Amino acid sequence: MLLTGRTLSFSGDPAVDASSVKYTENGAVLVSDGHILWTGQAGEEPADLSDGAECHDYGDNLILPGFVDGHVHYPQIGVIASFGTQLLDWLEIYTFPEEARFADRDYAERTAKLFLDLLVANGTTTAAVYCTVHLESAEAFFAESSARNMRMIAGKILMDRNAPQNVRDTAQSGYDNTKSLIEKWHGRGRNLYGVTPRFAPTSTPAQLEACGTLMSEFEDVYLQSHVSENIEEVQWVKELFPGARSYQDVYAQYGMLGSRALYGHAIHMDEADLAQAAETGTKFVHCPTSNLFIGSGLFRMAEICASGVDVMLGSDVGGGTSLSSFATMKAAYEISQFCGYSLTPEEAFWLSTSGGAETLSLGDRIGKLEAGFEADIIVLDLYSTPIIRQRMNQAKSLRDMLFAQMILADDRAVRATYVAGNLVHRAADMEIRSV
Ligand SMILES: [Zn+2]
């Protein structure tokens, strides 16, 4: 299969090296067996590779690697846009009752299907996904992700206190179920497992210890959780774990930091926290629409990146307000403006593709239009709405063009999504029914 159009990819962080932006006006991507075989100028495809290829000409549309979402809760799509609470009340009032429904395998399956339909309709081809505490919710998710051959990281939540009975496990059952899910799904197809304690307040010390044990037993699985999102939450952690220097230090004490550990939010952090994260290789996932919506605070992106911590972007739906990476990039820009820094569109698109893939330790497999990479590819219509068309008339540079997209575009811009070389979404056949 040969895709032609404008192409965009990044060979590295554009904030460090401007020449890492790889943009081609008349580009081509040759795909075979789920992988990219070759990329370059249209018309210059090597004959031996392109012979007999089916050609999809996307004209002036932009072809780029699929978006990567570093933090999202699939069971929360039903409670997205819930009014009037901050984090701890939001969990209690909206989230826990909805998550309780995922003990029902059928509901979990239907929601997983809807979630993945929505994800690819938004151009997201890889995500780090929280399921619920129920084994069934993770089974349903991995089964659906497998059926679509998607590169996904997911895990069952561990939560054994400070939550209603119907969304709790125990230290032992959390460990046992996580272990069996890892053995069944980690590395099966393109699935990867993330050990997923919700956050320190809802796990007993025994459960956190079990998470640390799992991390040492399975070297290459991920760990995902939340840290320092909300002031009240930080205070609560201080009361629950008086022996820890800080919220993040609770996780350090249980062996839960490291290069495979992804922590959402990381807003209320001090210098020692940042140094500890940088030293251990721990990653932060910035979830800007969620931070604004729940009123949690402002993530200091420039300062955190400068401290040597790897960062990526996440939607954090249902705390976040959109599955669209455009919405996430826009909110990241708005928050960076408050923090005395203007996030460039090159940086935002990099974070949402290969930069995010690198933070997930998947930078050698996804996130770039390069030979040998997995063919998770999206095609964006750069003129998807009347106001964008008007704005694009004035766009004089690639930066300008990308910035207009990141501020104004949404899922209507996603014309096609390919997962492992298969066309899984086309704007024309968009019909997604609710659960
Ligand atoms: Zn979250």
Side-chain angles (χ1 to χ4, degrees), residues 18-348:
S19 72
S20 62
V21 182
K22 306 294 178 196
Y23 175 68
T24 308
E25 196 74 34
N26 292 300
V29 183
L30 195 58
V31 172
S32 179
D33 272 340
H35 286 78
I36 295 171
L37 276 184
W38 176 89
T39 59
Q41 287 282 340
E44 293 180 5
E45 311 81 56
D48 56 326
L49 297 180
S50 61
D51 201 30
E54 181 185 296
C55 187
H56 301 247
D57 181 9
Y58 283 107
D60 61 3
N61 292 276
L62 184 68
I63 301 170
L64 69 162
F67 291 133
V68 175
D69 183 340
H71 184 121
V72 60
H73 301 253
Y74 98 81
Q76 293 178 9
I77 51 173
V79 292
I80 189 172
S82 293
F83 174 74
T85 51
Q86 290 217 336
L87 177 66
L88 301 176
D89 291 333
W90 181 81
L91 286 170
E92 204 71 40
I93 296 168
Y94 299 115
T95 309
F96 292 155
E98 178 62 15
E99 289 196 2
R101 301 178 68 187
F102 287 75
D104 173 3
R105 171 78 189 241
D106 183 54
Y107 185 65
E109 261 171 32
R110 285 182 288 131
T111 310
K113 281 192 170 73
L114 170 64
F115 173 79
L116 290 172
D117 283 348
L118 290 168
L119 221 55
V120 296
N122 280 286
T124 300
T125 49
T126 286
V129 180
Y130 288 61
C131 303
T132 67
V133 74
H134 315 96
L135 188 66
E136 296 83 351
S137 75
E139 287 284 354
F141 182 82
F142 279 122
E144 194 53 35
S145 161
S146 289
R148 298 166 190 239
N149 195 19
M150 295 185 80
R151 175 64 74 194
M152 285 286 158
I153 299 168
K156 169 204 118 63
I157 275 186
L158 293 107
M159 179 154 70
D160 69 343
R161 67 166 166 175
N162 293 324
Q165 181 61 42
N166 57 5
V167 287
R168 273 203 322 247
D169 55 7
T170 65
Q172 191 61 45
S173 73
Y175 172 85
D176 293 341
N177 287 335
T178 299
K179 191 167 183 165
S180 74
L181 285 165
I182 293 170
E183 284 164 349
K184 181 168 177 188
W185 293 109
H186 183 65
R188 180 161 160 189
R190 301 176 74 205
N191 291 303
L192 297 164
Y193 198 86
V195 177
T196 310
R198 169 166 244 122
F199 65 157
T202 50
S203 286
T204 58
Q207 183 161 72
L208 295 176
E209 204 170 307
C211 292
T213 303
L214 286 162
M215 290 312 287
S216 60
E217 287 174 341
F218 298 96
E219 252 176 36
D220 60 345
V221 303
Y222 294 84
L223 182 136
Q224 54 182 351
S225 192
H226 301 79
V227 72
S228 299
E229 176 176 0
N230 163 286
I231 297 278
E232 264 181 69
E233 171 211 18
V234 172
Q235 189 53 40
W236 192 21
V237 169
K238 205 176 268 178
E239 289 158 20
L240 290 170
F241 299 92
R245 194 201 68 79
S246 68
Y247 190 160
Q248 181 181 265
D249 195 47
V250 173
Y251 297 129
Q253 290 187 356
Y254 293 100
M256 293 164 63
L257 301 185
S259 62
R260 295 265 173 171
L262 313 167
Y263 284 94
H265 306 298
I267 294 170
H268 309 284
M269 312 290 277
D270 62 20
E271 265 177 45
D273 289 325
L274 299 185
Q276 185 181 44
E279 195 186 304
T280 54
T282 302
K283 323 292 190 190
F284 291 161
V285 187
H286 174 30
C287 304
T289 70
S290 171
N291 300 160
L292 294 170
F293 180 72
I294 302 187
S296 302
L298 305 176
F299 181 84
R300 292 162 289 137
M301 168 102 80
E303 185 188 329
I304 288 171
C305 290
S307 74
V309 182
D310 290 337
V311 165
M312 68 183 299
L313 301 178
S315 68
D316 195 26
V317 162
T321 51
S322 175
L323 288 172
S324 172
S325 280
F326 294 115
T328 303
M329 290 190 278
K330 173 177 184 265
Y333 174 79
E334 290 165 346
I335 288 178
S336 76
Q337 289 284 79
F338 272 109
C339 299
Y341 168 70
S342 299
L343 177 69
T344 69
E346 296 93 326
E347 186 80 357

